[in-house]
């Protein structure tokens, strides 16, 4: 509402001042303003007339000019009427203010306000809406009605009155709530419980009135009862609970009335969740003198029940307090879902079985105390019990060959039909990879994985357990289909606690290797930071290490270890460490500075700084000294070896100090085929420019017929074999010969496959070359041709192994020995001679 | 009237009304609408009987004045001095006493007690529960009058004789206390008789516990 201007006081006081000059008997205002209405609809036209008295001193004997003001605003005045212009009329086409003063002024010096009137504008009231009444049957009994005033603001004071009319007693009452309150409680004397009452609300303001739609009701039907009480719960029938109940003491007089009653129930084990999952059951026309049967319940199960009541469509009472009851027990029914892990023990003679189970959706324990039995035999009562427990898992051994066991639930009444558990040995197949866990909320985790296509894959098992709990009964599992690669697992995941989640592939014939990850539903900074330990100190670097954080204090997966260190000048350095290694080497340190460092350990939920340690690197680095000394000694040793080697490699020096003695071990015989001869010649020409001088050349005749083991020419024609001793004893070499290998003397033997005189080119002959470092074969000059251990350029056939072992050539035993003898005809001849001698 | 006689009436009526057979001719009683009113009346009577102890406790502070106390026989003279009239005698419906006559007696007795409590109520310090009790009595009267109307065939309703005005002599606070005490006690007895009477009219066949 607009505030009243200060000049309004002038308007009020002015007539008195003007008239004060007159005598008290004739105390009439100098002017009057007559408006078409002091309260008008907002936006409607307003007409006002100002009439100035002839005897008003301000206008006595002079022309008058009248001016209109609406608040502070001057209105365009209409033409003055007759009568000397002492009457003025103004029309406001649309009065859009909720409250304002309209004043009439006389143009004088100064201008004077001679009269005024307040005009208020608004809207007539709307009819009250949503009238509703509720009877309160708790002492004191009242009938409380409330309503909505309407959407439109009237801008005017609106009075609401509640009107009642009782048919049976012919009473009419009116009640007026306080201003601004749109509800009223009718006292007990104002209504009759079992008589219809007509109630309406009337809204009245200066522009009109409106009445709500009447509400006719029987007060007792609009009663909201106090919460009833479940007196007791009895069990008389299978699957049913019988509830005895009553109303509150103050409403016990309704004992014979038929009320609507709703029952809601829930399993007592779900009481912690705080929600009633069951749909309420409506029972019509129930008397408190009769109990209520609640049926179709699980056997042997404790239920919590609540009730509420109403009468003839009235408002529901609040729910009663809970009361529990247990239905009659029956034998367990349905099957159990199971999950088994098997491992071999004792050379695969028996299997270690870890069997978990959980109720399937169809399973009903039907009793309070349920245990579980694993048996090797299906029939009840038969021997062969493997284990019995009240938990959800069992660990036992089975001999190899057992294909199945049977799992049953047992209660006081009986035993469920057995669930068959097929025993499969573990399968070494790895199908699952890239297991990741994403927390969805505090109570669920999304597990994702990848799987390879594998024959016989039937699905997956997701298993999870709290890592801080050693009890296996906390292990839970869920099955997924073959084509499923993610699973939302829900449960009571505690934040900041680690859970081990494994995904196992299921095959037709067993379980494959799992992939396991640690997961948290919510992470925060670790509760402790490990203490830095200084492991090693060098001249310019230091190795820091630390222990692992205990699992219960990690509060999340360790993402990072960060070492912050600084020198006295405040130069900070940061080094990240591998979370798995838990060590770091700080390099480039100044030996004259005292460093301080601290460790920050981080999870996805936050970081924690550890305590600060101080360290200083050593001025004298013992390790460095040892390193330098070692390198120096090795260098000196190498230098000495080189010098000595250089000295002893000088032939002249060697000749002076000791004579050359031939060594049979360093002698060799080489065979050339014609092809290899050519090759050898090429190599000879390229690599050995010096000609080869043989000390002796002998010829051997080899029969043309194929070589067989039985008639090996080297065995049957021993007389054709040149005597080795004879062959190695030859003429001395020319004196002017100078070979690169002066330690050996070369020999050659040509073996012909045909007659010696034959010139047939198709019959390749074999050229056997031998050499020896025997001094008797040498001239006085130190001379030895180059050793021909191997003439092949790449690779060496096994049959070409001569004279002792070689790294690349190891003689084979067995039948290969014959071939080896074939390659050593002279030795074979000697061996034959030895045989003959024997 | 001797107050002893007044207090003895409920006992008499209890024995009388329990075995009272309803004349077979009174087919009106079996009417569903009539039975509905009977149910409501029974409930209201129950409500009144349940409210009386609370109302008594709220307005009667004299420790010697207890409901259902044998000492109440000593207050016969006081009752006479104060001017508390006795309640009408309720009889079982029979050929001698028609349903309408019985119901009129019930109505008359209820109006009497309503008048008694209205007379004493202005003198009470705590009158809220008495006011609520008066409202309940008024409701019950309405229901009884409905039954009277039905029993009369709604053809020619005999105007019920307006009860003689109650003028209590309450010179002092003790008289007020005794008047409230005797009025509530007499209403309690009368209400029990009314309840028995109504039960005899109830054809629902339901058993219920006595209040």
């Amino acid at each position: 509402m607009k505030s009243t201007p200060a000049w309004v006081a002038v308007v009020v006081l002015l007539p008195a001042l003007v008239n004060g000059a007159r005598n008290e008997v004739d105390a009439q205002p100098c002017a009057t303003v007559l408006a078409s209405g002091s309260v008008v609809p907002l936006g409607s036209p307003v007409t006002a007339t100002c009439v100035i008295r002839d005897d008003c001193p301000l206008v006595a004997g002079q022309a008058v000019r009248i001016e209109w003001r609406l608040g502070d605003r001057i209105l365009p005045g209409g033409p003055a009427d007759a009568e000397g212009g002492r009457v003025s009329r103004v029309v406001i086409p649309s009065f859009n203010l909720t409250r304002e003063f309209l004043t009439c002024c006389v143009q004088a010096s100064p201008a004077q306000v001679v009269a005024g009137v307040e005009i208020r504008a608004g809207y007539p009231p709307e009819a009250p809406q949503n009238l509703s009444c509720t009877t309160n049957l708790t002492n004191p009994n009242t009938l409380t009605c409330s309503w909505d005033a309407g959407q439109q603001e009237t801008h005017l004071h609106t009075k609401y009155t509640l009107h009642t009319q009782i048919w049976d007693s012919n009473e009419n009452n009116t009640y007026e709530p306080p201003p601004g309150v749109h509800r009223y409680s009718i006292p007990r004397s104002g209504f009759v419980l079992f008589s219809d009452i007509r109630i309406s609300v009337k809204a009245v303001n200066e522009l009109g009135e409106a009445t709500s739609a009447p509400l006719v009701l029987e007060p007792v039907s609009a009663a909201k009862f106090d919460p009833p009480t479940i007196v007791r719960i009895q069990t008389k029938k299978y699957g049913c609970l019988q509830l005895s109940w009553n109303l509150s003491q103050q409403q016990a007089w309704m004992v014979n009335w038929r009320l609507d009653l709703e029952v809601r129930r829930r399993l007592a084990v779900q009481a912690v969740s705080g929600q009633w999952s069951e749909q309420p059951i409506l029972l019509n026309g129930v008397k408190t003198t009769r109990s209520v049967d609640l049926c179709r319940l699980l056997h042997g199960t404790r239920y919590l029940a609540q009730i509420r009541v109403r009468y003839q469509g009235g408002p529901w009472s609040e729910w009663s307090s809970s009361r529990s009851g247990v239905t009659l027990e029956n034998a367990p029914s349905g099957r159990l879902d199971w999950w088994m892990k098997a491992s071999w023990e004792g050379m695969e003679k028996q299997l270690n079985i870890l069997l978990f189970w959980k109720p399937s959706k169809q399973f009903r324990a039907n009793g309070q105390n349920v245990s579980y039995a694993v048996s090797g035999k299906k029939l009840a009562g038969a021997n062969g019990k493997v284990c019995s427990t009240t938990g959800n898992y069992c660990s036992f051994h089975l001999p190899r060959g057992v294909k199945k066991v049977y799992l049953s639930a047992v209660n006081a009444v009986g035993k469920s039909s057995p669930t068959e558990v097929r025993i499969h040995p573990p399968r070494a197949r790895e199908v699952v990879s890239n297991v990741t866990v994403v927390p969805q909320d505090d109570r669920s985790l999304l597990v994702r994985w990848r799987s390879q296509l594998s024959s016989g894959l039937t699905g997956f098992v997701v298993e999870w357990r709290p890592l801080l709990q050693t009890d296996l009964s906390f292990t839970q599992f869920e099955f997924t289909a073959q084509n499923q690669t993610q699973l939302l697992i829900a449960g009571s995941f505690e934040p900041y606690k680690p859970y081990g989640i494994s995904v196992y592939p299921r095959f037709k014939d067993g379980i494959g290797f799992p992939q396991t990850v640690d997961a948290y539903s919510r992470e925060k900074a670790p509760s402790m930071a490990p203490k830095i330990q200084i492991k090693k100190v060098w001249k310019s670097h230091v190795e820091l290490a630390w222990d692992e954080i205990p699992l219960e204090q990690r509060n999340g997966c360790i993402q990072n270890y960060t070492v912050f260190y600084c020198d006295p000048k405040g130069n900070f350095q940061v080094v990240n460490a591998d979370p798995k290694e838990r060590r770091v080497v700080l390099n480039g340190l100044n030996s004259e500075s005292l460093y301080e460092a601290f460790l920050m350990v981080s999870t996805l939920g936050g970081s924690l700084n550890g305590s600060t340690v101080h360290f200083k690197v050593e001025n004298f680095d013992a390790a460095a000294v040892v390193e330098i000394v070692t390198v120096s000694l090795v260098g000196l040793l190498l230098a000495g070896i080189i010098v000595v080697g250089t000295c002893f490699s000088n032939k002249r020096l060697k000749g002076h100090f000791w004579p050359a003695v031939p060594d049979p071990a360093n002698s060799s015989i080489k065979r050339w085929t014609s092809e290899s001869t050519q090759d050898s010649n090429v190599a000879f020409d390229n690599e050995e420019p010096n000609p080869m001088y043989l000390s002796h050349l002998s010829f051997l005749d080899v029969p043309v017929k194929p070589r067989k083991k039985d008639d090996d020419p080297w065995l049957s024609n021993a007389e054709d074999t040149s005597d080795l001793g004879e062959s190695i004893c030859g003429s001395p070499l020319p004196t002017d010969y100078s070979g690169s290998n002066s330690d050996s003397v070369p020999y050659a033997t040509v073996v012909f496959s045909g007659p010696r005189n034959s010139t047939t080119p198709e019959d390749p002959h074999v050229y056997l070359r031998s050499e020896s470092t025997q001094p008797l074969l040498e001239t006085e000059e130190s001379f030895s041709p180059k050793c021909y251990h191997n003439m092949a350029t790449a690779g060496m056939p096994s049959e070409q192994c001569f004279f002792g072992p070689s790294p690349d050539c190891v003689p084979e035993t067995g039948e290969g020995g014959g071939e080896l003898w074939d390659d050593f005809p002279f030795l074979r001849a000697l061996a034959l001679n030895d045989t003959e001698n024997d | 009237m001797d107050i002893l006689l007044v207090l003895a009436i409920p006992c008499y009526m209890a024995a009388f009304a329990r075995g009272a057979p309803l004349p077979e001719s009174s087919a009106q009683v079996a009417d569903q609408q009539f039975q509905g009113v009977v149910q409501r009346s029974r409930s209201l009577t129950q409500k009144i009987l349940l409210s009386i102890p609370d109302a008594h406790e709220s307005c009667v502070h004299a420790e010697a004045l207890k409901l259902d106390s044998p000492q109440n026989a000593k207050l016969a003279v006081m009752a006479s001095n104060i001017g508390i009239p006795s309640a009408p005698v309720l009889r079982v419906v029979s050929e001698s006493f028609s349903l309408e006559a019985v119901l009129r007696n019930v109505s008359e007795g209820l109006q009497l007690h309503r008048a008694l409590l209205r007379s004493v109520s202005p003198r009470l310090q705590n009158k809220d529960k008495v006011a609520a009790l008066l409202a309940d009595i008024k409701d019950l009267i309405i229901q009884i009058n409905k039954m009277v109307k039905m029993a009369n065939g709604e053809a020619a309703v005999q105007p019920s004789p307006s009860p003689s005005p109650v003028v209590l002599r309450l010179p002092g606070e003790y008289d007020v206390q005794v008047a409230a005490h005797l009025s509530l006690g007499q209403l309690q007895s009368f209400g029990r008789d009314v309840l028995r009477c109504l039960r005899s009219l109830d054809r629902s066949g339901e058993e219920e516990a006595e209040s």
Side-chain angles (χ1 to χ4, degrees):
Chain A
M1 187 69 68
K2 193 174 179 180
S3 62
T4 305
W7 56 265
V8 171
V10 178
V11 175
V12 176
L13 294 174
L14 186 62
L17 292 173
V18 173
N19 295 330
R22 305 166 66 102
N23 56 51
E24 294 181 358
V25 178
D26 194 16
Q28 291 190 4
C30 189
T32 57
V33 174
L34 300 173
S36 56
S38 61
V39 180
V40 297
L42 200 61
S44 63
V46 173
T47 304
T49 304
C50 181
V51 180
I52 300 176
R53 290 178 50 149
D54 292 338
D55 53 353
C56 177
L58 287 173
V59 297
Q62 56 184 327
V64 177
R65 188 178 172 198
I66 297 174
E67 182 180 86
W68 288 95
R69 287 175 180 266
L70 183 62
D72 291 332
R73 186 164 58 94
I74 299 174
L75 295 176
D81 291 344
E83 302 177 10
R86 288 187 176 84
V87 176
S88 177
R89 188 166 176 269
V90 68
V91 175
I92 303 172
S94 175
F95 192 85
N96 291 318
L97 302 171
T98 58
R99 184 172 189 170
E100 193 52 277
F101 288 97
L102 180 64
T103 54
C104 171
C105 305
V106 173
Q107 288 285 31
S109 181
Q112 295 293 324
V113 178
V114 292
V117 65
E118 185 191 39
I119 297 175
R120 289 179 292 128
Y123 298 106
E126 292 181 82
Q129 305 289 323
N130 301 328
L131 173 63
S132 63
C133 300
T134 302
T135 307
N136 174 27
L137 291 180
T138 306
N139 290 334
N141 297 168
T142 53
L143 178 62
T144 301
C145 297
S146 61
W147 59 90
D148 295 332
Q151 299 292 326
Q152 193 177 43
E153 170 64 48
T154 63
H155 303 293
L156 299 171
H157 171 68
T158 303
K159 186 175 74 174
Y160 293 90
T161 50
L162 189 69
H163 299 264
T164 64
Q165 183 180 7
I166 303 172
W167 305 124
D168 290 330
S169 61
N170 290 323
E171 289 182 49
N172 295 321
N173 292 311
T174 300
Y175 306 95
E176 185 176 341
V181 177
H182 299 147
R183 57 185 290 127
Y184 191 84
S185 292
I186 303 171
R188 174 68 182 88
S189 58
F191 62 93
V192 176
L193 281 172
F194 292 103
S195 294
D196 285 347
I197 182 170
R198 183 181 187 275
I199 303 171
S200 61
V201 179
K202 180 187 284 186
V204 179
N205 68 13
E206 292 163 291
L207 292 177
E209 65 179 43
T211 304
S212 70
L215 178 67
V216 178
L217 55 88
E218 185 186 34
V220 75
S221 301
K224 181 175 181 178
F225 287 79
D226 292 340
T229 304
I230 300 174
V231 181
R232 63 180 175 275
I233 295 182
Q234 295 174 294
T235 53
K236 295 181 177 177
K237 293 189 292 185
Y238 277 106
C240 292
L241 290 174
Q242 193 176 69
L243 279 62
S244 301
W245 62 282
N246 59 27
L247 293 169
S248 73
Q249 185 64 32
Q250 294 188 8
Q251 289 145 23
W253 55 275
M254 293 283 288
V255 65
N256 285 319
W257 286 91
R258 294 185 180 275
L259 305 175
D260 295 337
L261 185 139
E262 262 192 352
V263 187
R264 66 180 181 183
R265 65 178 195 268
R266 67 180 173 195
L267 297 174
V269 294
Q270 296 174 345
V272 180
S273 66
Q275 291 185 350
W276 296 84
S277 55
E278 304 282 355
Q279 185 71 21
I281 301 167
L282 176 63
L283 303 168
N284 293 314
V286 181
K287 288 186 175 183
T288 59
T289 52
R290 285 193 172 181
S291 54
V292 174
D293 280 337
L294 197 60
C295 290
R296 290 197 285 182
L297 306 177
L298 300 177
H299 300 292
T301 306
R302 179 174 291 279
Y303 282 93
L304 292 175
Q306 288 184 340
I307 59 171
R308 63 178 180 178
V309 294
R310 69 176 180 184
Y311 177 68
Q312 288 190 350
W316 285 105
S317 71
E318 299 298 322
W319 288 101
S320 71
S321 56
S322 300
R323 197 169 183 99
S324 68
V326 183
T327 53
L328 295 174
E329 286 199 9
N330 206 348
S333 61
R335 63 178 179 82
L336 294 162
D337 286 338
W338 56 271
W339 147 239
M340 182 199 71
K341 290 191 277 189
S343 59
W344 288 111
E345 183 182 289
M347 298 297 290
E348 300 191 358
K349 287 183 178 176
Q350 61 180 7
L351 275 170
N352 283 335
I353 303 292
L354 188 56
L355 178 65
F356 295 93
W357 57 83
K358 64 178 181 179
S360 66
K361 288 182 180 177
Q362 297 80 23
F363 179 80
R364 299 288 179 263
N366 293 337
Q368 293 281 292
N369 300 315
V370 181
S371 62
Y372 302 90
V374 180
S375 173
K377 297 188 176 179
K378 188 173 183 179
L379 292 177
N383 291 328
K385 180 182 287 185
V386 176
C387 75
S388 179
T389 177
T390 57
N392 64 340
Y393 76 98
C394 192
S395 177
F396 51 87
H397 303 283
L398 286 178
R400 185 188 185 99
V402 174
K403 297 297 183 186
K404 60 182 77 168
V405 293
Y406 298 93
L407 173 64
S408 301
V410 184
N411 66 11
V413 177
K415 189 175 183 181
S416 71
S417 57
T419 301
E420 185 179 284
V421 178
R422 290 192 170 273
I423 307 297
H424 293 297
R427 299 296 167 194
R429 276 182 270 180
E430 197 164 357
V431 175
V432 178
S433 62
N434 288 16
V435 176
T436 59
V437 179
V438 180
Q440 296 296 102
D441 51 49
D442 284 350
R443 293 192 163 273
S444 61
L445 298 172
L446 180 64
V447 185
R448 290 195 180 107
W449 63 90
R450 286 185 184 171
S451 72
Q452 302 165 358
L453 290 176
S454 178
S455 63
L457 181 68
T458 58
F460 302 92
V461 182
V462 179
E463 180 194 80
W464 66 97
R465 70 180 186 89
L467 294 178
L468 298 181
Q469 300 282 355
T470 56
D471 189 354
L472 289 176
S473 65
F474 291 97
T475 303
Q476 299 181 66
F477 62 92
E478 197 71 54
F479 299 115
T480 71
Q482 176 189 358
N483 56 357
Q484 193 173 342
T485 56
Q486 67 175 28
L487 178 69
L488 185 68
I489 56 175
S492 55
F493 292 106
E494 289 186 63
Y496 321 126
K497 304 289 184 189
Y499 288 85
I501 298 174
S502 303
V503 180
Y504 291 79
R506 297 168 65 206
F507 299 98
K508 289 177 180 175
D509 54 352
I511 303 295
F513 283 148
Q515 280 280 315
T516 302
V517 295
D518 293 351
Y520 291 78
S521 63
R522 197 191 302 169
E523 297 189 28
K524 66 177 180 180
S527 300
M528 64 91 72
K531 188 177 179 182
I532 293 179
Q533 298 164 7
I534 301 172
K535 286 289 183 184
K536 289 180 183 176
V537 178
W538 294 277
K539 187 176 180 181
S540 62
H541 50 283
V542 63
E543 179 182 342
L544 306 178
W546 51 90
D547 293 332
E548 203 170 19
I549 304 174
L551 191 60
E552 61 271 18
Q553 293 183 303
R554 287 182 203 167
N555 302 332
C557 292
I558 302 299
Q559 301 292 320
N560 214 356
Y561 290 106
T562 307
V563 175
F564 296 85
Y565 65 101
C566 72
D567 58 14
K569 296 178 182 176
N571 296 324
F572 252 98
Q573 301 283 342
V574 180
V575 176
N576 284 321
D578 188 346
K580 294 178 181 175
E581 287 194 356
R582 301 191 311 280
R583 60 177 287 278
V584 69
V585 175
L586 307 182
N587 295 308
L589 303 179
N590 189 349
S591 61
E592 296 177 354
S593 301
L594 177 65
Y595 285 86
E596 63 177 23
F598 67 89
L599 179 68
M600 184 179 78
V601 57
S602 304
T603 68
L604 288 177
S607 302
L608 181 70
N609 292 340
S611 56
T612 303
V613 296
H614 295 84
F615 62 86
K616 192 173 183 181
V617 294
E618 299 291 338
N619 286 327
F620 184 75
D621 191 344
V625 170
V626 169
E627 187 179 325
I628 293 169
V629 169
T630 304
V631 170
S632 301
L633 288 175
V634 170
L636 285 173
L637 190 59
L638 286 173
I641 291 171
I642 292 169
V643 169
V644 171
T646 307
C647 293
F648 282 90
S649 63
N650 191 313
K651 294 175 184 174
R652 292 179 181 177
L653 285 174
K654 187 178 177 184
H656 283 293
F657 284 104
W658 61 79
V661 179
D663 183 4
N666 289 325
S667 300
S668 62
I669 297 175
K670 183 65 182 176
R671 172 166 53 180
W672 289 290
T673 61
S674 58
E675 295 85 0
S676 64
T677 305
Q678 293 173 359
D679 295 340
S680 300
N681 289 337
V682 174
F684 190 86
D685 293 340
N686 295 338
E687 298 175 7
E688 296 184 32
N690 294 329
M692 182 78 67
Y693 293 96
L694 301 177
S695 58
H696 175 79
L697 186 64
S698 59
F699 296 92
L700 301 176
D701 288 334
V702 180
V704 179
K705 66 179 180 181
R707 294 167 60 182
K708 293 182 180 176
K709 190 172 183 180
D710 295 337
D711 52 0
D712 193 316
W714 301 106
L715 296 175
S716 59
N717 300 316
E719 65 276 8
D720 294 334
T721 303
S722 62
D723 190 346
L724 180 61
E726 186 182 1
S727 66
I728 62 177
C729 298
S731 59
L733 290 172
T735 55
D736 57 349
Y737 172 78
S738 63
S740 61
N741 188 352
S742 59
D743 292 337
S744 61
V745 178
Y747 301 90
T749 299
V750 179
V751 181
F752 296 93
S753 57
R756 186 169 50 205
N757 295 327
S758 173
T759 57
T760 308
E762 288 81 8
D763 298 329
H765 54 269
V766 177
Y767 177 62
L768 295 177
R769 179 187 173 193
S770 64
E771 60 187 22
S772 173
T773 55
Q774 296 297 321
L776 293 176
L777 303 178
E778 271 191 308
T779 60
E780 293 179 1
E781 284 279 331
S782 176
F783 166 75
S784 179
K786 191 175 180 180
C787 179
Y788 285 91
H789 277 280
N790 188 357
M791 287 301 293
T793 54
M796 184 170 61
S798 59
E799 57 270 18
Q800 290 185 355
C801 296
F802 305 143
F803 305 127
S806 166
D808 298 328
C809 178
V810 179
E812 293 181 3
T813 58
E815 295 178 1
E819 296 179 0
L820 189 62
W821 281 112
D822 293 345
D823 295 334
F824 298 94
F826 304 118
L827 293 177
R828 179 183 290 274
L830 288 174
L832 290 172
N833 291 337
D834 290 342
T835 307
E836 290 172 357
N837 294 334
D838 293 341
Chain B
M1 186 177 288
D2 191 352
I3 190 66
L4 291 176
L5 182 61
V6 171
L7 297 174
I9 286 174
C11 300
Y12 164 75
M13 281 303 302
F16 195 86
R18 187 174 294 273
L22 195 67
E24 291 300 323
S25 59
S26 182
Q28 186 65 48
V29 175
D31 181 73
Q32 189 175 358
Q33 192 176 1
F34 187 89
Q35 285 297 310
V37 182
V38 170
Q39 285 293 328
R40 293 176 195 139
S41 301
R42 286 185 70 182
S43 293
L44 285 170
T45 309
Q46 288 272 19
K47 190 173 191 298
I48 290 168
L49 290 173
L50 287 170
S51 303
I52 287 173
D54 284 345
H56 188 275
E57 187 179 350
S58 70
C59 63
V60 179
H61 308 298
E63 293 184 359
L65 304 177
K66 303 286 186 189
L67 285 172
D68 290 329
S69 170
Q71 301 296 323
N72 291 336
K74 299 177 181 177
L75 297 173
V77 174
M78 282 294 295
S80 178
N81 292 341
I82 292 170
I84 297 175
S86 60
V89 177
L90 298 183
R91 295 178 185 274
V92 70
V93 178
S94 65
E95 292 187 358
S96 305
F97 293 92
S98 65
L99 176 62
E100 182 187 357
V102 171
L103 292 173
R104 282 189 186 278
N105 274 356
V106 171
S107 177
E108 192 177 316
L110 290 172
Q111 290 184 59
L112 169 65
H113 289 95
R114 187 183 180 206
L116 283 171
L117 291 173
R118 290 179 73 169
S119 297
V120 75
S121 175
R123 302 285 298 272
L124 297 173
Q125 293 177 356
N126 188 352
K127 61 191 77 174
D128 291 343
K129 293 193 174 179
V130 172
L133 187 59
L134 284 168
D136 291 337
I137 295 170
K138 184 185 77 174
D139 285 11
L140 182 56
I141 291 170
I142 291 172
Q143 298 302 321
I144 298 296
N145 288 341
K146 280 186 181 177
M147 283 194 285
V148 171
K149 206 170 181 180
M150 291 181 202
N152 208 19
E154 299 189 24
V157 178
Q158 298 291 327
S160 61
S162 54
S164 55
V166 174
V167 179
L168 299 180
R169 294 177 288 277
L170 303 171
E173 177 61 22
Y174 182 72
D175 301 289
V176 172
Q177 290 281 297
V178 171
H181 169 69
L182 291 176
S183 299
L184 290 170
Q186 184 172 295
L187 175 63
Q188 190 178 42
S189 298
F190 183 75
R192 287 169 178 162
D193 291 341
V194 171
L195 192 61
R196 293 186 185 97
C197 180
L198 293 171
R199 194 173 61 185
S200 69
L201 298 174
D202 191 354
R203 291 297 182 84
S204 64
E206 297 286 344
E207 291 295 328
E208 65 169 301
E210 284 286 334
S211 63

